[in-house]
Amino acid sequence: MMDLLSLGRSGVLAFQNALNATGDNVANADTPGFVRRRIVLATQPTGSGGPFQRASLSGAGVSTAAMVRDVDALKANAARIASGDQARMGARLDWLQRLESLATTANVVGRVGAFFDAATRLAAAPTQPAARAVFLDAAEDVAAAFAGHGRDLEQLEGDIRAEAKLSTRRVNDLAAALVKVNDQLRRGDKGDIAAAGLLDNRDRLLADLANEVRISVSEGERGVVEVKLGSGPSAVLLVPKAGNSSRIGVAPDGQSVLLDPDHEPVPLRLPASGRLSGLLEASGHIIRARAALDGSAGSFATLANDWHQRGIDANGQPGQAIFATTATRTTVGKANAGQAPVDVVLADGATPFPQGYRLIAESGGFTLARTDNSASITGTSPLLLDGLTVTIGNGWVSGDQWTIAPLTGAQGLSLRPLQPADVAAAARWQIDGLPTNTARGLPEIFDDATALALPGGDTTPPPWRITVIAGGLAEIRDPTGVNLLATVPADGSLIEGPGIRFRIPADAAEGDLFRIAPTPAASQDNRNLLDLGRLRAQPGPNGTIEAVLDGDLAGIGANVSDTRRLEAAAASLKEDAARANDAVSAVDLEREAAELTRLQAAYRANAQVIGVARDLFDQILGLAR
């Protein structure tokens, strides 16, 4: 009798636990990270026999051996790796698309082309003020394009660095949370509901961590895990089975990771997986794009300035540099209590101190000093130092500070304060010869500030009259032809003059006559503008300036295209791995419905056993009465 009651009771309790577990599965079917539970049943130990005990050979009943989670460690690890790979490509694609969008919107190569085209149009009417103004507008536009795109790239680089720092902070927080879960798992009971919940939480943390960085996981007793950053012998321990977690941070270069960044930083080789890896890869692309833009801006400014300085403007003066290559930026101190505006003007052609300046408001005035204190000035507004004119408006409070930093590269580019008449459209020298000359060409002349005098020491600059004489020589005289300045070879060799170098055609014959003179003011000459067209097509080490800019943009587009393709493949693999893992660990409502039906039938069967035992017991008691 007691055996029958015991059998029924054990079955009811065991299947009630199983029903509860299945009910939890159904209730949490849509809960992220929930792993299906099931109850493992075991036969109870047999009794030793007696009036109120089971006999050693009688049925022992059933008990709940454990609550287990349906987990396949290999499939779970594969799902984590696939998720990290997709996160890496997704992050890289996002930021590369932003980079491509900025480059396309800036259209620097188009503005550079418009500058050269404006010079070509000006060559058709070199003395027209309107055409000169249009050329200067094109020059200002291309400088603004370089500077604006440089600022955009600097902002983008700052944004992705901040995002990478947030990612490392998330990694550190997840690692610290895993340490706490490990501690709770060690102290808890194995196989109960609380332990299952902790293991679900642990797996969610591992999945989130794998989404940020590639990890390798080893599981110990009670589900305590050890987590390493990466895999193989070079993997760094991130979460130990006991003790505190390690911390990581972004290196100052924005392209690598440091272990223990706040105390003894150690550079790490970050595995090529996880969102953080994608961010650092994209950061490298942005940094390189910014450096390439700065290089192109410098090359363009050098080409344009050198070209313009070789010409003569409408006033008959040598051309000036057309672009300034340095600007300044003022940053307000974070602790400033006042709201005073600060205006900084850099004098044309001035070179500010490379490390920048500090501006401090004091009760008696202001102090503007270089950051190394090698020079400073104190007084009332405005302050002048190294070509800077600093004007401080009202609203300042004593103790307020500002920093003034020089900007170079793309951000330093700007059009100098030129007027239409300042455009050097004409070549510096006019050269002609007699129609009867034997030579097929005219002398070539080049500006050279290092050249000091003609052979023999005469320093008279052109105009000159050059006559080829017998013996392969030529005489250089003043315009009147009376005063002999020098006798030079007429064989095509390079000859030095005051501020210039020149060569007489090698095919010149005795009696050939040439004249060299400075181009006069308001000349119709357009040879310097035409020379800019030649420079436009002249390739540098990596091609023309426009070709280099086009190549940089095409490279960004190619990276976006490649990353998009890799991201699509990674997303497909992630979906397949997740589906395989879910086939083991996820809750299938149809499966749970069938399980509920089976367990309810078993529960009712055991309840009937108790009912039969009760009826028998009542009958036996009735017989005793």
Side-chain angles (χ1 to χ4, degrees), residues 44 81 96 102 137 142 162 165 168 186 191-192 201 262 278 329 338 380 405 479 490 498 504 546 565 595 609 612:
Q44 288 188 353
I81 292 175
L96 287 181
L102 289 177
D137 287 343
V142 69
K165 288 181 181 179
T168 59
R186 277 194 300 271
D192 61 4
N201 187 30
D262 300 326
R329 172 189 294 153
T380 58
I504 299 170
E546 291 169 280
R565 185 175 62 254
E595 187 71 3
V609 170
V612 169

Side-chain angles (χ1 to χ4, degrees), residues 50 162 183 288 450 537:
D183 186 53
R288 288 189 290 275
T450 64

Side-chain angles (χ1 to χ4, degrees), residues 183-466:
D183 186 53
Q184 291 173 345
L185 286 170
R186 277 194 300 271
R187 292 182 297 173
D189 293 329
K190 183 178 181 180
D192 61 4
I193 295 177
L198 283 173
L199 292 173
D200 280 355
N201 187 30
R202 180 206 67 184
D203 287 351
R204 281 193 293 269
L205 293 172
L206 288 173
D208 290 343
L209 186 57
N211 209 47
E212 300 294 331
V213 290
R214 169 68 67 84
I215 57 174
S216 54
V217 182
S218 59
E219 185 173 343
E221 184 66 23
R222 295 178 178 271
V224 172
V225 291
E226 180 182 81
V227 182
K228 291 184 177 180
L229 185 64
S231 57
S234 61
V236 175
L237 184 61
L238 191 62
V239 179
K241 291 182 178 178
N244 296 326
S245 60
S246 300
R247 295 181 62 82
I248 63 172
V250 179
D253 64 2
Q255 302 179 72
S256 57
V257 170
L258 300 176
L259 179 68
D260 195 15
D262 300 326
H263 298 92
E264 297 181 359
V266 177
L268 293 181
R269 179 182 174 274
L270 190 67
S273 180
R275 182 168 171 271
L276 179 58
S277 179
L279 290 172
L280 295 183
E281 288 171 346
S283 177
H285 283 290
I286 294 170
I287 290 171
R288 288 189 290 275
R290 187 179 171 194
L293 181 70
D294 286 341
S296 294
S299 297
F300 173 74
T302 298
L303 180 147
N305 287 342
D306 289 349
W307 157 77
H308 200 250
Q309 288 171 316
R310 289 198 293 269
I312 291 292
D313 65 19
N315 300 315
Q317 299 299 315
Q320 311 169 48
I322 192 169
F323 293 110
T325 56
T326 304
T328 61
R329 172 189 294 153
T330 303
T331 302
V332 179
K334 294 181 179 179
N336 281 11
Q339 300 293 328
V342 174
D343 180 57
V344 179
V345 176
L346 180 63
D348 184 34
T351 302
F353 184 62
Q355 281 72 49
Y357 304 83
R358 289 191 308 271
L359 175 63
I360 303 174
E362 300 167 333
S363 57
F366 306 93
T367 297
L368 177 65
R370 295 177 180 174
T371 53
D372 66 350
N373 293 319
S374 59
S376 65
I377 184 171
T378 299
T380 58
S381 176
L383 301 174
L384 282 73
L385 180 64
D386 295 342
L388 293 177
T389 301
V390 181
T391 305
I392 305 96
N394 296 325
W396 57 273
V397 174
S398 181
D400 285 354
Q401 297 187 21
W402 300 264
T403 58
I404 302 171
L407 299 176
T408 57
Q411 293 189 64
L413 202 63
S414 63
L415 179 67
R416 294 182 63 246
L418 301 180
Q419 299 301 317
D422 296 326
V423 175
R428 183 167 293 190
W429 308 104
Q430 292 185 334
I431 306 172
D432 64 7
L434 293 176
T436 57
N437 281 354
T438 302
R440 291 188 297 271
L442 297 172
E444 293 181 281
I445 190 167
F446 313 94
D447 291 321
D448 186 350
T450 64
L452 302 178
L454 288 165
D458 193 283
T459 59
T460 303
W464 294 334
R465 178 173 177 168
I466 302 176

